[in-house]
Amino acid sequence: MVSLKQTYASVRQAVAWCYRGGSISAEPRINDRIRVPEVRLVGPSGEQVGIVPLAKALELAQEYDLDLVEVAANARPPVCKLMDYGKFKYESAMKAREARKNQAHTVIKEMKLRPKIDPHDYDTKKGHVVRFLKQGDKVKITIMFRGREQSRPELGFRLLQRLASDVEELGFIESNPKQDGRNMIMVLGPHKKKTEAMAEAREAQAARKAERQGVSSDETAEAPAEEASAEASAEAENPEA
């Protein structure tokens, strides 16, 4: 429950912000900060209590050891609910954090190649592109021309087409190859959305964790059986013992 001291501290902070030109807090008014003669009260379990005087609502809040929170200030009269405001704020923060965690942000990765790239280097670069596309990210492929290579743009075009063909199961050409000064650029987009890729990654991680726990449990269960077998063998070899 939010104490009266904490309530006064919040009011002082809001006033200070106003004098400094800051914005007024968007948090709802609670307890003694509510300044209306009567409210439409909602109980702790969501039950409708009805329209009651503010003093009665505050009395019920103290009786239940809860806070009186204004949840609909524009209603006439305002709607207030009995709740543990500290717990409510904590749960709201956790939900917002989880929502941000699951929010998908498509990232554009970049991979640079040379027109006459070594086969081994090409496979390495292609592996990175595959990983990026599996993660649901776009990939900007840049072919860098140097010296006389600038007179052979078809080499870069063929290399980009080859790469796009090699990863066509994971991505598609979102931006066709185009010359940009000494470079040639192409953008690949993933077939899977970022949210789908994140969900699959979490499922795979959970499966690996469950598999490791299962192996650990099996080893723990096998250990007593092996010990019992060893003891039985020892007794058979030494019957007098």
Side-chain angles (χ1 to χ4, degrees):
M1 178 178 177
V2 178
S3 66
L4 190 60
K5 184 177 180 181
Q6 290 174 321
T7 301
Y8 286 145
S10 300
V11 173
R12 287 196 299 271
Q13 185 179 10
V15 172
W17 267 100
C18 289
Y19 277 110
R20 290 200 300 265
S23 59
I24 298 176
S25 174
E27 291 187 0
R29 294 185 296 182
I30 63 173
N31 299 331
D32 294 336
R33 292 174 59 188
I34 302 173
R35 302 294 186 181
V36 292
E38 58 184 15
V39 298
R40 185 178 297 278
L41 186 62
V42 179
S45 301
E47 68 276 13
Q48 296 291 332
V49 178
I51 298 176
V52 299
L54 177 61
K56 178 64 175 177
L58 290 172
E59 182 181 336
L60 290 173
Q62 290 183 355
E63 181 180 336
Y64 285 105
D65 194 25
L66 295 173
D67 299 299
L68 182 66
V69 183
E70 191 177 54
V71 295
N74 295 329
R76 292 292 178 269
V79 179
C80 296
K81 185 177 181 181
L82 297 175
M83 67 172 73
D84 185 338
Y85 187 58
K87 181 180 179 182
F88 170 76
K89 286 186 64 177
Y90 174 78
E91 292 177 348
S92 298
M94 290 298 100
K95 289 179 181 179
R97 180 181 178 183
E98 190 65 23
R100 289 193 300 269
K101 181 179 178 181
N102 295 330
Q103 190 174 7
H105 295 285
T106 301
V107 179
I108 298 181
K109 305 289 187 176
E110 185 173 9
M111 188 60 57
K112 296 182 179 181
L113 296 81
R114 296 293 306 280
K116 299 179 180 180
I117 188 172
D118 179 83
H120 176 73
D121 291 339
Y122 174 81
D123 291 337
T124 301
K125 301 278 188 178
K126 183 180 72 173
H128 292 315
V129 174
V130 168
R131 177 165 53 87
F132 295 148
L133 292 174
K134 284 184 176 180
Q135 293 173 353
D137 295 321
K138 297 181 181 181
V139 188
K140 176 183 176 183
I141 311 297
T142 302
I143 304 295
M144 301 179 297
F145 296 95
R146 294 179 182 176
R148 296 182 180 180
E149 294 175 347
Q150 297 180 57
S151 62
R152 302 288 304 277
E154 68 276 5
L155 296 178
F157 183 82
R158 285 200 295 266
L159 182 58
L160 291 176
Q161 291 293 325
R162 174 189 172 189
L163 180 59
S165 176
D166 288 344
V167 299
E168 61 182 355
E169 294 183 357
L170 300 172
F172 61 95
I173 299 177
E174 185 174 288
S175 177
N176 289 316
K178 62 180 180 180
Q179 195 76 26
D180 182 16
R182 295 184 178 182
N183 301 326
M184 183 174 288
I185 298 172
M186 177 182 71
V187 177
L188 296 176
H191 289 312
K192 291 182 180 179
K193 294 182 179 180
K194 185 71 172 181
T195 51
E196 295 176 359
M198 291 173 62
E200 289 184 358
R202 285 195 296 268
E203 290 177 0
Q205 183 179 6
R208 289 193 298 268
K209 183 177 180 180
E211 184 178 354
R212 288 196 299 268
Q213 291 177 345
V215 170
S216 178
S217 299
D218 292 342
E219 290 176 351
T220 304
E222 289 175 359
E226 292 176 355
E227 292 177 359
S229 177
E231 290 178 358
S233 300
E235 292 178 357
E237 294 176 357
N238 301 285
E240 293 181 359

